[in-house]
Amino acid sequence: MLRRPSHHYKLHLSGSVGIYVIDSREQLSPDELLRRTELAMFTAKEISRDSYIVYTPDLEQRASKNLLLQSELRNALKQDQLAIHYQPVVTGDGKLVAAEALLRWYHPEHGYISPAEFIPYAECNGFINTLSEWVITDVCRFINDAIEHGYAVPRISINISAKQFNQVDFVSSFLETISQLKVPTTQLQLELTEHLLLTELSIIQSKFEELRRAGVAIAIDDFGTGYSSLSYLQHLPLAQLKIDQSFVQQIGCGAKDDAIITTIVSMAHALELEVVAEGVETLNQRNFLINTGCDRFQGYLWSKPVAEAEFVELLSAGAVIPATAIALKKAEQIL
């Protein structure tokens, strides 16, 4: 006999739809019609939640590329084609206070393959877990090596997908890994996108609390691009909000664009959260953000993501000079 559950849960559902418009001039079998519709549906799932895609012949090329990723990505780990690059996070005067670890793939034949291409694929087929474990292990290895050589290593952020974070054993597995690698939990921060907040609050709150108690900081990445309720921010033990670069790029374009940045910074500070602006590329953007009270900055104005050896040089210097300042200095020397 079935019993009604004693607790009620809210379920957030999303749908991905594939569409094929039948052309009476084509003589296609039912199996081929279904295959094309499924191809459109799987493409919709890769692009974003709650979306639809109408089949076009271009999707066949995309499918072929996915087959390439499927066969090559697993070999990339074994053949040392993957690497971690670190992008500095700085204060307004350029002091290096943190960094974000970013995965890079350099294929011997196809060259640089963007994470925007292979990360969504890895999430769809479950390979994201293997990639993430490799990233966590390599970042921890780097931290230990740098500390052993006498460098003051700032907190390093690691990106975790919502799908991975929502796995039942993610937190325990993550904490066990860094414990085995003997890395202080205070050296690490997890960056999670706003889409994670679409999950039931009670489900993620306990995970956030467990990480906080262990000493791992949590940041919400790409803030402002998702669909989550701001009330979630009141109940989660967050350390940081990262303003998406799409907002930073609009600084100076209009009063409404500037107001969005000012509002996010004010709200975050009211909630006792640190604010990092991503994608800062100009001195005008930097100056505006400083005037709004933004705490930290990340972007090409100071540094692109750099390989491990170059990042160690930045650690040695302890600060990052804005690229524009370097260019001006070179110009003065030429004159």
Side-chain angles (χ1 to χ4, degrees):
M1 179 177 179
L2 296 176
R3 294 184 179 181
R4 179 175 297 177
S6 58
H7 300 286
H8 298 282
Y9 298 97
K10 292 181 181 179
L11 298 178
H12 298 270
L13 304 179
S14 63
S16 300
V17 180
I19 301 170
Y20 179 76
V21 180
I22 297 176
D23 188 340
S24 59
R25 293 170 298 181
E26 289 186 298
Q27 298 296 320
L28 300 176
S29 67
D31 287 343
E32 178 61 16
L33 289 173
L34 182 60
R35 186 194 71 80
R36 294 188 179 189
T37 307
E38 287 182 337
L39 178 57
M41 183 268 291
F42 285 122
T43 303
K45 289 178 65 176
E46 290 177 9
I47 293 176
S48 66
R49 64 178 70 233
D50 296 327
S51 64
Y52 68 90
I53 290 291
V54 178
Y55 173 89
T56 64
D58 293 342
L59 297 185
E60 300 290 351
Q61 184 177 0
R62 183 187 181 96
S64 297
K65 196 165 190 177
N66 282 344
L67 286 176
L68 169 67
L69 291 175
Q70 181 176 0
S71 62
E72 297 290 334
L73 186 54
R74 294 182 183 276
N75 291 329
L77 279 174
K78 300 176 182 178
Q79 298 173 0
D80 295 327
Q81 296 173 11
L82 300 180
I84 303 295
H85 282 202
Y86 296 89
Q87 185 168 33
V89 176
V90 301
T91 59
D93 57 0
K95 181 180 179 182
L96 200 164
V97 292
E100 180 179 357
L102 298 164
L103 184 60
R104 295 291 182 259
W105 180 9
Y106 295 94
H107 192 279
E109 295 179 13
H110 303 287
Y112 172 73
I113 300 178
S114 170
E117 293 185 31
F118 69 84
I119 292 297
Y121 165 77
E123 288 181 341
C124 285
N125 71 3
F127 194 61
I128 190 67
N129 296 330
T130 303
L131 281 183
S132 182
E133 288 173 7
W134 183 86
V135 170
I136 293 168
T137 301
D138 199 63
V139 169
C140 288
R141 188 270 313 158
F142 167 73
I143 291 174
N144 284 334
D145 287 350
I147 291 176
E148 184 178 345
H149 285 83
Y151 293 102
V153 183
R155 191 189 295 270
I156 306 293
S157 293
I158 299 174
N159 292 282
I160 300 295
S161 71
K163 184 175 182 179
Q164 183 181 9
F165 187 85
N166 282 327
Q167 292 179 351
V168 175
D169 63 343
F170 169 77
V171 173
S172 58
S173 176
F174 171 74
L175 293 177
E176 181 180 355
T177 297
I178 61 178
S179 174
Q180 291 175 349
L181 296 172
K182 298 182 174 15
V183 171
T185 54
T186 52
Q187 289 280 173
L188 297 172
Q189 175 171 272
L190 297 185
E191 288 194 14
L192 305 157
T193 62
E194 239 185 313
H195 290 295
L196 176 73
L197 303 187
L198 291 169
T199 308
E200 177 66 28
L201 178 62
S202 61
I203 296 175
I204 62 173
Q205 191 170 23
S206 60
K207 294 184 177 183
F208 275 47
E209 288 289 352
E210 185 177 357
L211 288 167
R212 182 192 62 79
R213 288 193 301 269
V216 179
I218 303 172
I220 295 299
D221 194 16
D222 300 334
F223 185 77
T225 61
Y227 310 97
S228 60
S229 170
L230 294 178
S231 64
Y232 275 49
L233 302 181
Q234 296 177 283
H235 300 98
L236 296 173
L238 300 171
Q240 190 180 87
L241 290 186
K242 301 191 76 173
I243 302 174
D244 186 68
Q245 61 181 346
S246 61
F247 295 110
V248 173
Q249 291 169 357
Q250 295 301 311
I251 289 175
C253 294
K256 291 183 178 179
D257 297 301
D258 294 349
I260 290 175
I261 297 282
T262 303
T263 301
I264 292 176
V265 174
S266 298
M267 178 198 64
H269 286 168
L271 295 171
E272 299 181 348
L273 299 176
E274 185 178 75
V275 183
V276 176
E278 296 182 295
V280 183
E281 297 181 352
T282 70
L283 285 174
N284 287 338
Q285 292 170 353
R286 166 192 174 274
N287 294 338
F288 175 84
L289 289 162
I290 287 177
N291 289 334
T292 64
C294 188
D295 305 295
R296 303 285 185 261
F297 309 87
Q298 182 177 348
Y300 280 26
L301 177 62
W302 287 274
S303 175
K304 64 180 180 179
V306 296
E308 185 177 303
E310 190 173 346
F311 183 62
V312 168
E313 293 180 6
L314 295 177
L315 289 181
S316 181
V320 186
I321 302 173
T324 51
I326 295 174
L328 288 172
K329 186 174 182 181
K330 289 182 177 179
E332 291 173 356
Q333 290 174 347
I334 293 175
L335 295 175

